[in-house]
Amino acid sequence: MSVIRPGDEDMHFEDGSHRWYPFDPDDHDQQAWEERVREHQRQHREENPPRKRWRRRSI
């Protein structure tokens, strides 16, 4: 799970999922908003790289 930094609250719902539309569509261009969320998600991935999972092979 990633950490919500100060200033990122508007890009998250209460459950931590990402908001793909702005609170007020009249204040934000949808395409610009989506690009902002993509960049935000990229920052999450850089800060919290996925862990490698090991699986047992069945013989």
Side-chain angles (χ1 to χ4, degrees):
M1 169 136 341
S2 57
V3 175
I4 299 176
R5 296 177 308 250
D8 291 346
E9 297 87 358
D10 63 337
M11 288 185 270
H12 291 268
F13 288 106
E14 289 180 12
D15 67 356
S17 62
H18 288 96
R19 181 184 299 275
W20 285 98
Y21 55 89
F23 286 113
D24 186 358
D26 295 333
D27 287 345
H28 293 87
D29 174 54
Q30 181 66 37
Q31 188 173 7
W33 180 265
E34 289 177 10
E35 190 58 37
R36 182 176 169 215
V37 174
R38 283 187 189 93
E39 175 63 20
H40 171 75
Q41 287 183 317
R42 185 189 63 73
Q43 290 172 353
H44 278 310
R45 288 189 300 271
E46 285 179 356
E47 292 170 2
N48 302 307
R51 295 180 183 157
K52 191 170 188 177
R53 294 184 178 165
W54 297 92
R55 290 188 192 173
R56 283 186 172 199
R57 285 188 177 188
S58 57
I59 299 176

